[in-house]
Amino acid sequence: MSYTNIENRILDKILTSNFTKRQLKILLFIIRFSYGLDRKFAVLKKKDFYFAGVSPYHVEAELKKLVLRGVVKWNPQLGIFRINRNLKEWVDKRQKVDLFKG
């Protein structure tokens, strides 16, 4: 039997943050295919998120929201996704996000 080895502080932050159901599914999918495979990142295509129950129509918009909130790091050209381990960079949904920050 295999396990997904993720730090409790990351799980705690996810539990106490205000994510939508789609965003939670995306986060869990990234965690499963990164930490679950003993890697720091996941290599996925946007259509892969369909297996997490998120339609391809919604994936990009939700990913952009997670990137803007500092939760996910995403390289669209390479299809690399990772959870941002620097929890101080995570922005709560209720906080203002500065889109023009350097």
Side-chain angles (χ1 to χ4, degrees):
M1 187 176 280
S2 298
Y3 299 93
T4 300
N5 190 18
I6 184 167
E7 297 173 59
N8 284 333
R9 66 186 190 90
I10 294 174
L11 284 177
D12 292 343
K13 185 71 172 176
I14 290 171
L15 284 171
T16 59
S17 294
N18 190 13
F19 294 113
T20 66
K21 186 176 177 180
R22 282 188 192 124
Q23 290 170 346
L24 281 172
K25 286 182 173 192
I26 288 170
L27 286 172
L28 291 173
F29 198 69
I30 292 170
I31 289 168
R32 171 62 183 93
F33 286 96
S34 56
Y35 292 97
L37 299 175
D38 203 25
R39 299 187 301 194
K40 294 183 180 182
F41 60 90
V43 180
L44 301 164
K45 296 179 176 136
K46 286 187 285 185
K47 67 181 180 180
D48 293 335
F49 289 92
Y50 178 77
F51 294 106
V54 182
S55 76
Y57 178 78
H58 298 290
V59 171
E60 187 160 350
E62 295 301 328
L63 280 169
K64 286 180 179 179
K65 291 175 189 175
L66 290 168
V67 168
L68 282 174
R69 289 178 63 184
V71 177
V72 171
K73 300 288 185 176
W74 174 28
N75 182 325
Q77 290 79 21
L78 299 176
I80 293 176
F81 300 85
R82 69 179 177 86
I83 303 296
N84 184 1
R85 295 180 66 223
N86 185 352
L87 303 182
K88 291 180 181 179
E89 293 180 2
W90 289 29
V91 176
D92 189 278
K93 187 176 180 179
R94 294 169 287 235
Q95 290 176 293
K96 182 181 173 194
V97 177
D98 185 0
L99 299 177
F100 302 102
K101 187 168 78 173

